Amino acid sequence: MASTYSFDIVSDFDYQELVNAVDQTNRDIISRYDLKDTKTTVELGKETITINTDSEFTLDAVHTILQTKAAKRQLSLKIFDYGKVDAASGNRVRQEIKLKKGISQEIAKQISKSIRDEFKKVQASIQGDAVRVSAKDKDELQAVIQRLKQEDYPVALQFTNYR
């Protein structure tokens, strides 16, 4: 039996689910009456989504569709980092949405500090863009997970490598 148990706190998303959500968004844009003739495009890159449309009104409609499709596929809306709206050629607008992966150093420090303050028998260490939490008791780790799920961090948190 292992003397210590651990898990990792990461911020990640399923890329294939995002591909499916963007594909469904494009299909909705083609079939919706108010967006049909706007020549709106939603393109997924490796780390960004680019929306090109004819007005800020249709951009808001595309945001709503994209967020709905992502939520239905269990993707957190916290992965989207909306950039500023730029004017494109021909009186069109373009917006780039960055996809957030990994936990920044500031948030990792905040998470590990809150764990150390509340749970005295649990150790939290920052490892790159993840936080490893370890303890001798599995119940302590379960309590940490439940506590972190109650908090509202600006990134989507997942709990992996539970052993």
Side-chain angles (χ1 to χ4, degrees):
M1 189 162 123
S3 60
T4 60
Y5 302 98
S6 67
F7 68 89
D8 294 335
I9 304 169
V10 297
S11 180
D12 203 357
F13 58 87
D14 186 353
Y15 190 77
Q16 186 58 49
E17 290 296 334
L18 185 63
V19 168
N20 295 340
V22 169
D23 186 44
Q24 285 182 335
T25 301
N26 280 322
R27 282 194 220 148
D28 258 24
I29 290 169
I30 292 169
S31 65
R32 268 185 50 170
Y33 179 76
D34 59 338
L35 299 174
K36 195 177 269 187
D37 296 327
T38 61
K39 294 184 179 76
T40 300
T41 60
V42 180
E43 297 169 0
L44 177 63
K46 201 67 181 153
E47 296 176 1
T48 61
I49 298 173
T50 306
I51 301 172
N52 193 337
T53 188
D54 68 348
S55 70
E56 290 202 28
F57 175 74
T58 56
L59 184 65
D60 288 340
V62 172
H63 283 174
T64 304
I65 295 169
L66 180 62
Q67 291 169 353
T68 304
K69 299 300 180 188
K72 282 184 181 175
R73 298 195 156 273
Q74 275 76 46
L75 292 170
S76 173
L77 299 182
K78 293 179 181 180
I79 65 171
F80 300 128
D81 184 18
Y82 296 95
K84 65 181 181 70
V85 178
D86 297 325
S89 61
N91 291 333
R92 296 177 64 78
V93 293
R94 179 185 306 125
Q95 184 178 37
E96 209 168 81
I97 303 170
K98 287 185 175 48
L99 302 172
K100 292 195 269 186
K101 258 189 175 183
I103 300 174
S104 69
Q105 286 296 318
E106 305 89 57
I107 296 171
K109 287 177 185 175
Q110 196 178 10
I111 290 171
S112 63
K113 182 179 182 328
S114 73
I115 290 171
R116 272 182 284 171
D117 289 348
E118 281 189 55
F119 302 94
K120 301 300 181 200
K121 296 180 180 178
V122 177
Q123 294 83 38
S125 61
I126 300 169
Q127 297 182 341
D129 58 356
V131 178
R132 164 118 346 131
V133 180
S134 57
K136 292 187 184 221
D137 186 14
K138 284 184 178 180
D139 294 336
E140 288 282 333
L141 294 179
Q142 291 291 339
V144 170
I145 290 173
Q146 292 307 314
R147 181 67 182 102
L148 289 174
K149 284 183 178 179
Q150 293 171 0
E151 290 293 317
D152 186 33
Y153 290 102
V155 294
L157 298 180
Q158 289 86 31
F159 308 100
T160 60
N161 295 335
Y162 188 86
R163 16 186 139 110

